[in-house]
Amino acid sequence: MPAAGLPFDKMGVMRASRVLQLALLGVLAMTPAGAAPKKAKNVIIFLADAGGTSTLNAASIHGYSKAQSLYVQGMPHIALSDTSTNSAWVSDSAAGMTAIVTGVKTENGVISMGPDSVRGKKDGKVLKTLLEEAEDHGLSTGVITNVNIADATPAACYSHANDRRSAGEIFLQVFRPKYGNGVDVVIGAGRPAVYKAVKESGEDLDAVAAAGKRQVRSALADVPAGELRPIVVTNTEPDVPAAARLAIDRLSKNKKGYFLMIEWDAHTDNPQKGLNNLVGLDKLIREIAGTVNLKETLLVFTADHSFDLRVRAGRKDEPLLKGLDEWKEKTAGKKPAYLDLPNIRLFGSHTAEEVLVAAEGPGSERVQGFMPNTRIHEIILRSWGWWPGT
Ligand SMILES: [Zn+2]
């Protein structure tokens, strides 16, 4: 029976329009502004080598005399990442970075090959890295480090080897890519060591580079303005912020997007240097977050493993590293495995506890809770929309 005495036909029209209205409301409710699947065009990984949570704590105090003053400590999405390897609780940079960029936990010393590798003896399964995924999809790619460019962390992005010590074999893979045209921007240190290692592999680095119409430059200042794929291998530590600015300038010319990994070593065997490096990396992240478009650029900060440094005492009005000069005098000529200052204690080794993952930009909301380091790989692929089935 029609209600309110309305004729049947009018009631039918009213019902139909109400149904349409409700359906539209439903669609709108499912896709409010901003809830459309967010995809990243560009991804930048900032890697503080050995920059665990206790080192972040110390770096904030060292740099700002204040807790939680680092940019990464204010990023909107954070998680704690397990860095254990396939078989060990404590990771080195090779296994740690391999897990992050390939999604597979392997063995210490192994560069982007599976746990079926035997270090120095047998190749394992070659694992496709995030950098290679980006190359495969036509994006531009880059790797920056303040240490040797063939060292484990950068190597895990662009190469595959059963032993991190095979620097010649590793660096030559810059010129022999499996996907796309290979890594586009390469900036790091270790020039004499890299040239020597390549020579020991029976090749001449400059000749290999020239055959690929590239040049291995020795300083950032030598890179011509128009060069889109610079390779810079310096004698001393490169200026990481200057390298990052140069890399982003070149990589962002690709309309499809880019992948960039920036490593800044935060080992604190030398606590002053390690903590300064971490404060420097954090400042760089703050700068880049303020210059790139965060609607299309995913920023991820993490460490490959933690380090045994602890703040164990100290007043808020005194320098964290007080007593360091006296310690250096006292231990001159010796090489103690530990450092014992009034406010800091450290043993020169990696440790197993979880490290921070902090992120912002499209897809960063997936960074949450306790998670394995391999999930960083999944989160980045999902952000790009390349995770299988998404
Ligand atoms: Zn490391």
Side-chain angles (χ1 to χ4, degrees):
M1 280 289 288
L6 285 168
F8 261 112
D9 57 344
K10 274 207 169 171
M11 198 59 201
V13 169
M14 212 182 105
R15 277 190 188 139
S17 65
R18 181 73 183 145
V19 166
L20 191 65
Q21 197 185 352
L22 287 171
L24 273 172
L25 277 172
V27 168
L28 288 173
M30 278 157 54
T31 54
K38 290 191 218 157
K39 276 195 186 163
K41 178 180 165 191
N42 316 307
V43 174
I44 307 177
I45 298 182
F46 300 92
L47 201 291
D49 203 310
T53 48
S54 55
T55 305
L56 287 167
N57 166 258
S60 180
I61 295 170
H62 173 69
Y64 300 99
S65 302
K66 204 165 167 249
Q68 300 185 348
S69 295
L70 300 176
Y71 184 80
V72 298
Q73 290 171 319
M75 282 171 104
H77 299 285
I78 63 165
L80 287 169
S81 162
D82 158 51
T83 62
S84 64
T85 77
N86 178 59
S87 61
W89 298 123
V90 178
S91 186
D92 77 339
S93 300
M97 195 59 178
T98 296
I100 292 167
V101 298
T102 73
V104 176
K105 283 184 184 282
T106 190
E107 299 298 337
N108 278 332
V110 174
I111 303 287
S112 290
M113 282 185 176
D116 52 333
S117 311
V118 181
R119 183 177 181 174
K121 294 193 178 123
K122 182 175 99 57
D123 281 356
K125 187 185 174 200
V126 171
L127 306 169
K128 193 176 181 183
T129 73
L130 290 172
L131 187 149
E132 290 173 328
E133 293 276 3
E135 280 292 330
D136 205 11
H137 284 82
L139 277 63
S140 291
T141 61
V143 167
I144 295 172
T145 180
N146 76 312
V147 299
N148 187 313
I149 190 63
D151 203 2
T153 304
C157 296
Y158 66 77
S159 74
H160 308 270
N162 67 37
D163 192 340
R164 60 182 287 170
R165 287 170 295 201
S166 311
E169 178 196 339
I170 285 169
F171 195 67
L172 283 167
Q173 291 178 56
V174 165
F175 307 94
R176 286 152 199 173
K178 290 188 162 52
Y179 300 93
N181 62 354
V183 56
D184 298 299
V185 177
V186 182
I187 304 171
R191 191 173 182 89
V194 168
Y195 269 84
K196 184 166 173 266
V198 170
K199 202 171 173 192
E200 282 164 7
S201 305
E203 305 204 45
D204 177 79
L205 182 51
D206 287 328
V208 172
K213 298 196 167 47
R214 301 181 82 174
Q215 214 175 317
V216 183
R217 304 188 186 279
S218 59
L220 283 171
D222 295 345
V223 177
E227 188 160 288
L228 291 177
R229 308 185 70 221
I231 300 174
V232 182
V233 184
T234 55
N235 287 301
T236 54
E237 283 192 29
D239 177 335
V240 177
R245 288 175 209 125
L246 185 144
I248 291 171
D249 173 70
R250 302 307 195 274
L251 298 174
S252 59
K253 291 194 166 46
N254 186 333
K255 289 195 166 48
K256 289 185 176 173
Y258 62 85
F259 169 83
L260 174 62
M261 192 288 294
I262 302 172
E263 177 194 34
W264 206 334
D265 186 30
H267 279 83
T268 45
D269 308 77
N270 176 341
Q272 199 150 28
K273 182 166 169 42
L275 295 180
N276 284 345
N277 283 0
L278 191 43
V279 171
L281 176 62
D282 185 73
K283 281 185 178 155
L284 177 61
I285 300 170
R286 189 189 299 270
E287 176 191 318
I288 290 175
T291 52
V292 298
N293 180 355
L294 287 173
K295 287 202 173 76
E296 58 179 31
T297 307
L298 171 64
L299 308 182
V300 179
F301 164 86
T302 196
D304 48 352
H305 49 75
S306 195
F307 196 78
D308 193 358
L309 167 124
R310 294 288 182 279
V311 175
R312 60 168 190 174
R315 291 184 47 80
K316 292 187 173 180
D317 59 358
E318 66 184 13
L320 182 68
L321 298 179
K322 81 170 186 185
L324 183 60
D325 291 340
E326 291 87 335
W327 174 263
K328 280 182 186 162
E329 276 170 32
K330 204 169 106 185
T331 59
K334 301 174 209 155
K335 276 200 168 172
Y338 63 96
L339 183 136
D340 192 10
L341 303 183
N343 299 338
I344 287 263
R345 186 213 67 197
L346 80 84
F347 284 83
S349 70
H350 297 181
T351 49
E353 77 278 2
E354 284 83 352
V355 297
L356 177 71
V357 187
E360 67 184 308
S364 60
E365 67 281 354
R366 295 188 183 94
V367 173
Q368 56 173 321
F370 279 72
M371 64 184 211
N373 53 0
T374 50
R375 195 171 299 156
I376 298 169
H377 169 261
E378 177 186 332
I379 287 169
I380 290 173
L381 285 186
R382 282 187 186 278
S383 299
W384 266 323
W386 303 341
W387 184 252
T390 57

